[in-house]
Amino acid sequence: MASTKFALLGCAVVLVVSSGCPGSATGGVSIRPDGSPGPQPCPEKSREVMNYLRLFVGESAWVQLDANQTRARPITLYDGNIESVLDENLGLLEAPARLYGRVWTGGPQVVIRYHAAQPMNGGDLVPLCAVARLGFGQLRKHPESKPGTAIIDSPRAGVYIVDEFR
């Protein structure tokens, strides 16, 4: 039994690494003059998995942006990796689930790109491509945000499935 779990874990790691998620997919992103990330393709393997799980472009759900700051107001986000919590089902991905991605705070508003999800029911790591969005400029940084950080009002945002990062 333990060897089966170890084999499944190994397969999940290989799948994630081969799809470019989450580490290598965030490494070579170009930065725009305003400090926000440039375009980035969604790996083919991620698109295949999303199609299988009925995670189609435009599918959305609510997410707690930072698993360590749920329901706090305001929250501070930092450049680098982030772990979020899915509040609603997204396609066949059941909530709650962890979403893993990267935060950029260099532009006028926070940019969060997600590259993987971890179902909390014991499922394997799932490669995906999604972004955090919130209308009315609510992901805009407070002026007192220090370099490398972003203070924002809402601890929640919508997470949207995309086929590439723009």
Side-chain angles (χ1 to χ4, degrees):
M1 182 70 174
S3 63
T4 303
K5 287 184 180 180
F6 183 72
L8 287 174
L9 177 62
C11 289
V13 169
V14 169
L15 177 66
V16 169
V17 171
S18 69
S19 69
C21 300
S24 63
T26 61
V29 177
S30 63
I31 301 298
R32 294 182 171 111
D34 72 353
S36 63
Q40 178 185 16
C42 180
E44 181 63 33
K45 190 65 172 176
S46 296
R47 292 196 323 244
E48 288 174 21
V49 170
M50 290 188 313
N51 188 51
Y52 179 75
L53 292 176
R54 305 187 59 78
L55 297 172
F56 302 122
V57 172
E59 286 283 329
S60 64
W62 285 103
V63 65
Q64 292 291 326
L65 290 173
D66 187 341
N68 296 313
Q69 300 181 70
T70 59
R71 314 250 191 260
R73 273 186 202 263
I75 65 170
T76 302
L77 300 177
Y78 300 90
D79 279 330
N81 296 330
I82 191 165
E83 178 182 353
S84 300
V85 180
L86 190 63
D87 281 344
E88 301 175 329
N89 294 349
L90 183 61
L92 295 177
L93 186 60
E94 293 181 0
R98 301 290 185 184
L99 295 179
Y100 300 105
R102 182 166 174 87
V103 176
W104 286 267
T105 64
Q109 66 181 25
V110 174
V111 174
I112 304 173
R113 294 177 176 176
Y114 295 105
H115 300 281
Q118 177 66 58
M120 296 191 46
N121 64 1
D124 291 334
L125 197 65
V126 177
L128 56 76
C129 294
V131 296
R133 293 184 180 144
L134 197 55
F136 305 108
Q138 292 183 44
L139 288 180
R140 190 164 301 279
K141 302 183 320 186
H142 286 206
E144 65 270 18
S145 298
K146 294 182 174 146
T149 68
I151 300 170
I152 60 173
D153 288 327
S154 181
R156 296 179 78 208
V159 61
Y160 290 81
I161 298 296
V162 297
D163 57 358
E164 68 178 311
F165 300 106
R166 296 176 173 88

